[in-house]
Each structure stands twice: as C-alpha cells, then as structure tokens.
Amino acid sequence: MDDVIIVGAGIVGVSTAIHLLRRGRGVTLIDRQAPGRETSFGNAGIIQREGVRPHAFPRDLAMLMQVGLHLSTAARYEPLALPRLAPALLRYWWASSPESYKRVVQSYAPLIARSIIAHKDLMDQAGPDAEALVSKSGWFLAFRSDEGLKKEAAKARADKEQFGISHEVVEWPELKRIEPDLKGGLAGAVHWTDPWTVRDPGALVGEYFKLFEKLGGTFVSGAVTALEQDGDGWAAVVDGTRHSGKEAVIALGPWAPDVLDRLGYRLPLFVKRGYHMHYGTEGGAKLNNLLLDAEVGYVIAPMARGIRLTTGAEFAMRDAAPTPIQLGKAEAAARQLFPIGERLDPEPWKGARPCTPDMMPIIGKAPKHRGLWAGIGHAHHGFTLGPATGELLAQAMTGEATAIDIKPFGMERFL
C-alpha cells in the first residue's frame, strides 16, 4: 500500500504526485491514458501569469445576442444541452456580477501569482528538455479595432497597478515589425510580457512525468472503475485489481463527476469544450509569438507540430459528438490575418475544460470523507495552475502551511 493514490495523470495529478514524492510520500498515479494526453494536451500552451481575471459570463446585451444567435466565434452552445447546463450556468452568471466577480478576482489573483513560480520549480528539477519547450517572451492580445485596443490597454494599466503585471501596448507598425508575416487588419496588441508559452504542452507534462518516475513514483495504466473506502484508507479498482493507499486525490478534470457523484458529491460542475488543429504555412511564413484575436475569439500559436489554432468555448455535454462550426469560423478569421496553410491533423482535437460556477478551482479536502482530496475545476487555466495546485495540495496533505490561503477554493462552498 502506497501512502497516496492519485486518480488522473494530467498536469494537476502529475504535479501533485511530484510534490508528495518530494515530501517523502509514496505515490501511485493512475490514468487510462498516457500522462498529459487529455485536457493537458490540447490547449494554447500559455502559463498565464497575467490571468488574474478568470473568464466571466458575458453580461452585456450585444455579446449575449451574438452567442444566442450563434454569431460568435468565441462562444457557442448546443441547444439540446441547455436544460442540463442551465442550473450551473445561472450560478455562473450570478458569480459574474460586478460585486461577486470582484471578490472572485481577489481570491484568484494570489493563486495565479504562483503559476510561473511553481512551473519553474518543476522545470528546474525536470531538466533542460523541459526548459527547451518554453519561451519567456510573453504573448500578444491583438485587436482589430482602435476602440478595443484602447479599452484593453486601460484594463492592463489597472492590472499593472493592482497586481504588478507587466505589459506593453504595441501599435500596428511595431506589431508588424515583430510579426512580419501578419497580413494586416489589426490595430495593435497588448503584449503581456510576464507569461511564458510552451510549444508542446503535452510534452512538458511528459517531462514532468519523467521527474515523477525518477523520484520513485508508480504509474498504473487503466481506467478506474471504482474508488472506495478501504478500512482507514482508499482503494482504486483498475481492470479488476485493487490499488490501495492511505489517502486518495481526485485529479480527473472533466471526468471528476464520474467518481465524485458516486461518493455523494454532486457538485455544480460543467464543461466548456474546445478544439484545436495544426496547420502549415504558405510561402514559408513564420509566426514568432502566440497571438489571440481578441474580438473574434481564437488563438494561433507556433507549436512543435505547426501553427496550432485553438477555439473559444463550446457549451455542450462532455461526451457529445464534436461539431466543426467554431473551428471553421476561427480558421476563416485566422486566414485573414496570417497565411496559415493546409491542415496537418486528420481530425480536430476535442477536449473539455472542467469548470465551476464561480470560476475558481476546487483545491483541498473533500469534507465528507477522511483522506480524500481533490484538485479539479480549473477551467481555462488548468495548464497554468497545475503545478501550483499540486504544490498546495501536497502542503495541505502533509500538514505544512500552504503558500497561499486555500480556503476560498474549498469544495464545501458548493455543498
């Protein structure tokens, strides 16, 4: 029996395992996939130090009309899913009111502040192959209109004053110098200079997993069909075999309800689905930095496999069939700005971002059971916050003072 079994080998599970191993705990990590091949694999690859303001539910009428009429590229919904999603979305809308959102940001900002610190800690131990995947030149939040750029620049100045986040406002001539192959159509961009970007997010999780193995962790490949209390501890059943530990951590991202519901934790979780596709370029064009087309709602990023285009949010059931609509709209918009070429993947990648109605993750002890912990619900910032969440969970589980207060992220707020 190991000290801890961790269910889920995405960036949260792997990071938690490393931090526990470094504190002398024995760890068994379980997943049906290779580490980092699910939600941690299909993202824009930003360690979003600037992301102190989580994605709020839109409250302006124009945006709501765009989404409602399926005119938006940044967000869309599946009508048949709305009855099941409605209760969580209503709470999401309420938490996005100005006063509630202000409180969310106050709690969320210290967690985001740990993002690069915690990633750097793991990279330093993982070695040069992890470091080689990272660019520290920030990313560009680009705008097609002067009005949009001016509004975002004002927000960026406020975030610099309140949270110390660095940025530069780049007008079109300077942005064109930085990215010579952009076609045009942009007023400029806010260059967030503090974040790091990663050219292969799944590969970085793989490097962290190598560190996990080096530290003596055990990996079990297979689907967990049951997680049960086992005397004073816990047992995960995988292919008919029981794997026991004194404590258990659920780090299953969008699949967490499959386990938590059976244990009596019916949390108001929902998913925002997203897609990505890799492209070649025309005429040897090169994209030097990640760029988010803010007024349309997609990202293009230079990745190991090519130019990765990632879509906005799709409100649908987790396991529903994929839809090509958002990717098609985003691709058409991206071709206006940059000479992307042929698709390089046989099919778009589809994943699900695990979300909570108040936009904050669940980090800490499950209140109804002894020895059960969770690190879930990171929405758009799972890749950013995985190592920080792992650090905080390991500190709480071993009785250390946590690097920040984790009470705002407690599961009991939903029970």
Side-chain angles (χ1 to χ4, degrees), residues 27-239:
V27 179
T28 296
L29 181 64
I30 306 171
D31 204 305
R32 63 181 181 179
Q33 296 271 26
R37 304 309 294 180
E38 289 281 7
T39 308
S40 299
F41 175 80
N43 56 77
I46 314 174
I47 303 172
Q48 250 182 298
R49 172 61 187 90
E50 91 298 339
V52 293
R53 301 183 186 277
H55 290 264
F57 196 99
R59 296 178 74 84
D60 61 285
L61 183 59
M63 176 58 75
L64 288 171
M65 288 292 290
Q66 284 189 41
V67 175
L69 296 173
H70 287 303
L71 301 176
S72 172
T73 302
R76 72 175 303 274
Y77 65 93
E78 280 296 309
L80 294 178
L82 283 184
R84 294 180 64 181
L85 294 174
L89 293 182
L90 181 61
R91 294 178 70 169
Y92 182 17
W93 179 84
W94 180 258
S96 300
S97 68
E99 282 304 312
S100 295
Y101 188 69
K102 183 178 180 180
R103 291 192 294 271
V104 167
V105 172
Q106 289 172 343
S107 297
Y108 198 73
L111 180 60
I112 283 287
R114 300 294 303 171
S115 59
I116 285 179
I117 295 169
H119 267 281
K120 182 179 185 303
D121 176 34
L122 296 192
M123 287 177 196
D124 287 347
Q125 273 215 309
D129 288 345
E131 182 78 15
L133 294 167
V134 177
S135 168
K136 301 179 182 178
S137 58
W139 64 280
F140 289 81
L141 182 61
F143 289 84
R144 300 187 177 215
S145 70
D146 290 325
E147 180 184 4
L149 180 60
K150 288 177 183 177
K151 285 183 178 179
E152 191 62 32
K155 292 179 184 177
R157 287 193 297 271
D159 284 349
K160 184 174 183 179
E161 293 176 5
Q162 186 173 358
F163 303 110
I165 301 165
S166 301
H167 74 282
E168 298 173 357
V169 177
V170 179
E171 303 288 345
W172 167 246
E174 177 64 10
L175 183 58
K176 177 67 173 175
R177 186 192 66 78
I178 296 167
E179 296 289 354
D181 290 315
L182 287 175
K183 294 180 179 180
L186 293 172
V190 173
H191 179 196
W192 293 109
T193 55
D194 288 343
W196 295 356
T197 58
V198 178
R199 66 184 182 91
D200 190 334
L204 183 61
V205 180
E207 293 301 319
Y208 291 167
F209 178 70
K210 291 177 184 177
L211 174 59
F212 161 82
E213 292 184 308
K214 181 180 177 182
L215 293 172
T218 300
F219 179 67
V220 174
S221 179
V224 173
T225 55
L227 181 67
E228 306 165 340
Q229 286 188 297
D230 185 15
D232 291 333
W234 289 86
V237 180
V238 181
D239 296 328

Side-chain angles (χ1 to χ4, degrees), residues 43-46 137-142 179 191 196-198 287-292 298-303 308 310:
N43 56 77
I46 314 174
S137 58
W139 64 280
F140 289 81
L141 182 61
E179 296 289 354
H191 179 196
W196 295 356
T197 58
V198 178
L287 184 67
N288 298 310
N289 299 275
L290 184 149
L291 185 146
L292 194 161
Y298 65 89
V299 167
I300 50 174
M303 291 278 180
R308 179 179 289 186
T310 67

Side-chain angles (χ1 to χ4, degrees), residues 234-256:
W234 289 86
V237 180
V238 181
D239 296 328
T241 301
R242 295 174 68 85
H243 300 271
S244 298
K246 297 174 185 175
E247 296 181 282
V249 178
I250 298 172
L252 279 170
W255 294 275

